[in-house]
Every structure is written in C-alpha cells, then in structure tokens.
Amino acid sequence: MTSHAKLSPSSAHRWMQCAGSMILEKDFPDSSSEHADEGTAAHFLASECLEQNKDATDFLNQEIAVLPQGAAWARDVWKITNPTKFTVDLEMSEYIQIYLDAVRSQATGNELLVEQRVDFSSFIGAENAFGTSDVIILTDDEIQVHDLKYGRGVKVNAEDNEQLNLYALGALNNFEAFGDFKQVRQVIHQPRLNHYSEAVCSVEELSVFASHVRASANAIASIQEYEAKDVNVYLNPGEKQCQWCKAKATCPALAKHVVETVIGDFEDLDNVDLNAQIDVATGEVTSLENNRLGKLFAAVPLIENWIKALSGAVHNKLHAGESVQGFKIVQGKQGNRAWSNDDEAEALFKSMRLKTEEMYNLKVISPTTAEKLKKENVIGPRQWSKVESLITRADGKPTVVPESDKRPALNLNPQNDFENLDA
Ligand code: SF4
C-alpha cells in the first residue's frame, strides 16, 4: 500500500491528470470563501431535513453557523465567538426543497443513507483515501450516489466525473455485503442552476476506473518518496485540471504550455523577447488555416485562466510589499462622483424647487425585481399572470461554443440551403 497523500475526491479531476499538482499545491493554504461557507450551510440544512424527515421550510429563519470543522445550528454553538452565520431564507429553503424532493423520489421503498463516509483505499492502493457522500441510496441491485452542489458557477455533469466515481468505489466497498449490486447511479443536483445530471456505471467500468486511479496514486506516492526531485516530469497542464489549481500562477509547466501555444516552441522563457514574439503571432492570426484557428481557440479558456492567476499573484505580491521586476503600485483613477450626503443633496434640490422628474431618476422596475415581489407576495398570483404577459426576451446572439455543446449548430451558410434545394 502507498501512503502520504490525502487523495481528495473533490480534486481527483486534478491529481488524476496531473500528479505533480499534489506537490506544487501543498504549500498553498486552504482558502475559504463566502460561497464555500454558504454551500456548507446549505448541505447542513439538506442533511438535517433528510435525517429528521422534515421539509426545508420547517427551518425557515433559523441560523446556521459555519465553523472550520463543519456546520451546526447557531443556537448550539453559542460559546464560539463570531462564527460565520447564514439564515435559512425563502430562497435557500426553495432550492434545498428541490433537492430533497428529487432524493426522496428515489429513496421511496429503498434505504436512504445521509452524509456517509466512504472509503476507497483498497480499490486504489492508497491508505486513508475516503470522502463523504451527501446521500447514498441502496436499491435491490443498484447503489445511488447523490451529490448536491449549491453554487451558481458552472454546470457539472455526472458522466465521467472522477469525484463521483470515487464515491461510487467507496460506496461499493462499504455496502457490497448488503446486496447484489450490478451498477452505481451517480447523480449531481445543482438546484440553483436548474441542473440535474445522472450517469450509470457498471461495476466492471468502475474497476477499470480504479486501475487508472491506482496508477495516479502510485505516481503521486513515488514523487513524494523521492522528495519531488523532478516534479516537472509529473506536471501535465490542461484546462480541466489547471482551472482551480492553487499553483497555476507559479506552475512552470502551465507557463511553458501557455507561451508555447501562443508563440511556438522555445528553449528558455527568460531569454525570449515575449512582446516581439506575441506581436508576430498576433499578426499571423488572420492568415492561419481554420484547423489551426480551432486548436488555438480551444486553448483560450486555459490561457485566460492563467492570465487571471498571474495577474492576481502580481497584485498580491506588490500589495504585500514584495518587489516584482518592472512593476509598482500607484494610486488608481478616482471613483465616480457621488453625494457626500444623499439627504442633504435632496434637501438642497427641494429648496431650489426642482420638479420631481428633474430631481429623481424614476424608472419602472425590471421583470427580475417584479418576480422578487411575486415571491414576497406583494404581487399576487392572478396579478402575476398579467405581469408575465408583458415580459419579453430577445433571441440570444449567435455564440461560438465547443462542438460538444448539446445545442444544435446554427446554419449560417446560405450556400448549404441551395445545396439542399438542388437535392
Ligand atoms: S497548474 Fe496545471 S500543470 Fe501546474 S500543477 Fe496545477 S494542474 Fe498541474
């Protein structure tokens, strides 16, 4: 058995593609954010509802405290000073209820297990490899792994999802003695994005996946064993793995990959005149053949991501008082003009006898604001149907997306229409 690394399911999409990330990321602290804390609170509400067999509105206006070790009802953590708190409001309760209804519809007549720790160490040959699955449902011949994602970020698909595959392996490990399970159904719930995705994996497919994870775990263990003498060999840049990597601003492999994509091969980044080379590459863009254009365009998200990380790292270092060659911090442009005191400005204009329409920017509320008023029952259901009939939406503008996008391609080439007529 190999040891050392904590192979977290949530970052498996990274360490499975780029074993070296386990070394490069280890000196960066775990960062928390309000979004992550809100997600922790929402998960806590969902698990309390499932365990107590209640609906989310049963907890309306109650406060959830988010602590480093997880979440709890704020009333139970009164000894802790200033925990981050979230109130169960109508919005949170509505979104969590969507998730609860979907889980309960699958759980009826089956065994429902909430917040289960699943251990997949034995499948991948690494010690202490486990995760916590939000919900596991055991049917006669199927294990279901449900994952709630409360963010408003990107839609995540269950198909080929490394995190869910690891939970699935762990669930098989924990529960195989309880039934004759032939497959694992993996489900992602993203109620705030109106997104639900599920995929089914046979036990055989999971064992193929386990062999890939085992190879990654072995690579990670061997880099750690030899104290990362040549970690660069194990770095493998790519959009999926680099997107949330903490090391992306300083990763030499990503920097090399991005610069090579733009200007072509080079020996030593320190000896390249980047500005001149980028000027040449920019001048050549319009004459590139279409296949090359497509390849370069596919790399844009990764390049943009790297630029953002680089810019953030330079800002952070300069703000921390460190020097970065060629850059400094200066006072930025002044902000927009504003009244130092709104009430005084209002009183002054009144004293000048300005008319209402001269003094105020009056504008009718937007459909989004009207919808909020509907949720607050300021606008009733019958009134809402009249409001709704006035809402209109412009067609979306033609947008370039990857070939894998589910929407059908627009036919913008009129020549194709003539070809069809001839046929
Ligand atoms: S930035 Fe990309 S290549 Fe570099 S360590 Fe992270 S995942 Fe690996």
Side-chain angles (χ1 to χ4, degrees):
M1 276 234 171
T2 53
S3 60
H4 308 294
K6 168 79 180 79
L7 299 174
S8 146
S10 60
S11 55
H13 64 282
R14 180 154 52 255
W15 53 257
M16 279 190 68
Q17 297 293 330
C18 176
S21 66
M22 292 294 286
I23 304 297
L24 261 58
E25 276 199 304
K26 75 176 171 22
D27 295 328
F28 290 86
D30 282 335
S31 54
S32 183
S33 68
E34 198 184 333
H35 292 310
D37 288 345
E38 187 187 32
T40 306
H43 275 79
F44 175 74
L45 172 64
S47 68
E48 287 288 291
C49 291
L50 290 171
E51 276 170 354
Q52 298 182 37
N53 200 18
K54 289 186 170 176
D55 284 336
T57 45
D58 293 336
F59 296 98
L60 261 184
N61 301 322
Q62 297 205 29
E63 281 187 322
I64 298 170
V66 177
L67 315 163
Q69 62 273 27
W73 292 115
R75 60 173 182 267
D76 298 333
V77 293
W78 53 271
K79 277 187 191 160
I80 297 168
T81 45
N82 297 328
T84 307
K85 287 187 196 164
F86 292 88
T87 303
V88 179
D89 57 13
L90 200 56
E91 185 188 359
M92 185 187 274
S93 70
E94 280 177 357
Y95 284 130
I96 292 302
Q97 193 61 43
I98 294 171
Y99 165 70
L100 297 174
D101 291 345
V103 166
R104 283 174 177 150
S105 72
Q106 298 281 337
T108 310
N110 298 314
E111 176 127 19
L112 169 72
L113 303 151
V114 182
E115 292 286 319
Q116 286 294 303
R117 176 176 156 137
V118 288
D119 193 309
F120 46 89
S121 309
S122 62
F123 280 99
I124 67 165
E127 281 174 3
N128 208 20
F130 62 86
T132 304
S133 173
D134 297 331
V135 159
I136 288 176
I137 294 172
L138 305 179
T139 75
D140 288 342
D141 60 356
E142 176 179 275
I143 298 180
Q144 295 183 5
V145 172
H146 291 257
D147 192 45
L148 167 66
K149 297 196 184 296
Y150 193 64
R152 288 187 197 273
V154 287
K155 291 179 180 171
V156 182
N157 286 321
E159 193 105 28
D160 295 327
N161 184 298
E162 293 88 349
Q163 180 183 13
L164 289 197
N165 277 348
L166 286 175
Y167 288 152
L169 285 174
L172 274 174
N173 179 49
N174 285 26
F175 303 110
E176 65 184 341
F178 294 84
D180 182 18
F181 302 116
K182 307 275 190 303
Q183 60 184 32
V184 179
R185 186 175 302 271
Q186 301 158 338
V187 189
I188 289 182
H189 304 256
Q190 290 181 284
R192 289 167 108 185
L193 295 176
N194 193 23
H195 181 66
Y196 173 95
S197 171
E198 66 172 50
V200 175
C201 243
S202 67
V203 173
E204 293 73 31
E205 285 167 329
L206 282 171
S207 79
V208 173
F209 169 79
S211 66
H212 294 311
V213 191
R214 186 182 284 267
S216 301
N218 284 340
I220 290 164
S222 69
I223 319 173
Q224 293 178 326
E225 199 85 13
Y226 300 111
E227 305 218 310
K229 288 261 161 36
D230 197 8
V231 68
N232 287 354
V233 177
Y234 295 91
L235 297 174
N236 175 30
E239 188 186 343
K240 190 174 171 187
Q241 58 269 36
C242 296
Q243 186 175 13
W244 303 113
C245 179
K246 288 183 233 161
K248 66 186 169 203
T250 50
C251 172
L254 178 58
K256 188 166 189 293
H257 177 76
V258 166
V259 177
E260 273 183 356
T261 305
V262 178
I263 67 166
D265 290 350
F266 64 90
E267 283 295 318
D268 178 2
L269 189 54
D270 289 336
N271 292 322
V272 175
D273 183 347
L274 265 182
N275 286 335
Q277 297 269 15
I278 289 172
D279 271 352
V280 173
T282 309
E284 286 172 349
V285 163
T286 48
S287 55
L288 291 175
E289 51 134 16
N290 291 1
N291 283 351
R292 176 85 184 128
L293 267 183
K295 273 194 181 160
L296 283 172
F297 196 57
V300 166
L302 178 64
I303 296 173
E304 283 179 344
N305 208 333
W306 178 71
I307 291 170
K308 235 193 259 169
L310 189 66
S311 168
V314 169
H315 276 83
N316 289 344
K317 284 185 186 287
L318 289 172
H319 276 286
E322 294 180 38
S323 65
V324 175
Q325 197 190 339
F327 292 90
K328 63 183 176 184
I329 291 188
V330 294
Q331 192 68 49
K333 226 176 84 183
Q334 276 191 308
N336 291 340
R337 290 180 301 169
W339 303 123
S340 54
N341 184 315
D342 283 356
D343 292 341
E344 277 179 26
E346 191 178 28
L348 180 65
F349 290 135
K350 276 187 183 160
S351 74
M352 295 174 176
R353 298 183 185 281
L354 262 66
K355 293 181 193 147
T356 304
E357 61 274 23
E358 289 167 337
M359 270 183 65
Y360 300 99
N361 290 323
L362 286 177
K363 210 177 155 214
V364 72
I365 56 171
S366 68
T368 309
T369 311
E371 195 166 24
K372 272 191 197 145
L373 294 179
K374 177 200 147 202
K375 281 187 181 162
E376 290 161 12
N377 283 329
V378 177
I379 296 177
R382 284 174 59 190
Q383 291 171 314
W384 176 247
S385 60
K386 287 184 191 163
V387 175
E388 229 178 355
S389 69
L390 292 175
I391 297 174
T392 172
R393 290 190 92 157
D395 286 340
K397 286 191 186 139
T399 308
V400 178
V401 295
E403 201 87 66
S404 56
D405 191 282
K406 292 203 171 75
R407 287 167 288 182
L410 290 180
N411 180 8
L412 298 177
N413 185 355
Q415 215 178 341
N416 291 347
D417 293 339
F418 290 121
E419 277 165 17
N420 291 341
L421 280 177
D422 288 346

